[in-house]
Amino acid sequence: AQSVAQPEDQVNVAEGNPLTVKCTYSVSGNPYLFWYVQYPNRGLQFLLKYITGDNLVKGSYGFEAEFNKSQTSFHLKKPSALVSDSALYFCAVRDRASGGSYIPTFGRGTSLIVHP
Amino acid sequence: KAGVTQTPRYLIKTRGQQVTLSCSPISGHRSVSWYQQTPGQGLQFLFEYFSETQRNKGNFPGRFSGRQFSNSRSEMNVSTLELGDSALYLCASSLVPGQMNTGELFFGEGSRLTVL
């Protein structure tokens, strides 16, 4: 079975400050990991993914995420937050193991609010 | 390249009615998956279609069904609507089905269903 947890329903940060949105996962094999962003009344947009290789993954809009296998985490980060980053962020995981689910499992989402 | 198109964007139904939602994937994408998004349950997988065949199905009652046409367009149907079916229904497309897909999903803007 595969699962993903986003422990914070909401993250508040001041504009210009660094932001972190947390994600931990559980899979039986090795994971594919994804971050998506959803703006109000819109669908989800892909931000970045970890497949293999470098543990630090860079994505769209200045976001990056760090894969930590020992901590089973894939936290989303940005060095300097913008008000326009305010949105709902989803972490997703897919198990690479044969027999595992080929459908990604999504976290419940974290609402990021960036204050001017 | 046009994105994923979902119709209708908004609809209101009453309990007991049925509804059909449509999804046109990105040109060339042959895999279509459907998700239900609610504030309480987050993003939950409904089903995935590839080459007109249902490849995977989530844990939803039989009232939820879908199909895919030869041009990869997909429809989902919900019969005997219940108040709890009120949600944003999201469609996502990808080039290949989940088991070979290490990449991202491309989401439509969603169809917001309200059941009164």
Side-chain angles (χ1 to χ4, degrees), chain A:
Chain A
Q2 60 191 29
S3 65
V4 61
Q6 293 181 242
E8 302 154 317
D9 289 336
Q10 185 171 301
V11 169
N12 290 277
V13 64
E15 188 174 33
N17 282 2
L19 69 87
T20 299
V21 182
K22 295 179 180 177
C23 171
T24 58
Y25 66 90
S26 175
V27 295
S28 56
N30 290 311
Y32 294 133
L33 291 156
F34 308 88
W35 276 102
Y36 290 83
V37 60
Q38 184 180 34
Y39 298 100
N41 299 314
R42 305 295 296 275
L44 277 67
Q45 295 178 35
F46 171 80
L47 274 179
L48 51 79
K49 65 182 177 185
Y50 171 80
I51 302 300
T52 188
D54 195 350
N55 288 345
L56 185 64
V57 178
K58 295 189 182 295
S60 306
Y61 312 121
F63 284 93
E64 58 188 28
E66 185 167 13
F67 170 64
N68 188 317
K69 188 172 183 177
S70 62
Q71 297 186 4
T72 62
S73 67
F74 190 56
H75 301 331
L76 181 70
K77 301 181 179 183
K78 187 173 182 182
S80 179
L82 300 172
V83 172
S84 58
D85 292 330
S86 299
L88 190 58
Y89 290 81
F90 289 92
C91 181
V93 67
R94 214 205 86 186
D95 194 340
R96 272 196 255 181
S98 63
S101 171
Y102 300 125
I103 302 300
T105 297
F106 285 82
R108 296 173 67 84
T110 298
S111 177
L112 173 66
I113 300 174
V114 181
H115 301 278

Side-chain angles (χ1 to χ4, degrees), chain B residues 81-106:
Chain B
L81 284 166
E82 301 177 358
L83 295 179
D85 296 333
S86 294
L88 180 66
Y89 290 88
L90 292 165
C91 168
S93 77
S94 61
L95 196 59
V96 293
Q99 69 186 90
M100 291 180 279
N101 184 11
T102 63
E104 65 269 30
L105 297 173
F106 296 84

Side-chain angles (χ1 to χ4, degrees), chain B residues 10-64:
Chain B
Y10 303 91
L11 65 166
I12 300 174
K13 294 285 187 179
T14 56
R15 281 181 296 174
Q17 287 187 310
Q18 74 165 13
V19 66
T20 298
L21 309 177
S22 179
C23 172
S24 294
I26 290 173
S27 178
H29 284 194
R30 297 171 60 196
S31 173
V32 172
S33 51
W34 289 89
Y35 294 82
Q36 182 195 64
Q37 184 179 15
T38 59
Q41 298 297 321
L43 203 63
Q44 294 195 296
F45 169 73
L46 281 157
F47 23 67
E48 179 194 27
Y49 287 88
F50 180 76
S51 293
E52 303 177 63
T53 302
Q54 188 180 91
R55 299 290 295 261
N56 292 280
K57 189 177 190 305
N59 189 25
F60 277 81
R63 300 185 297 107
F64 292 81

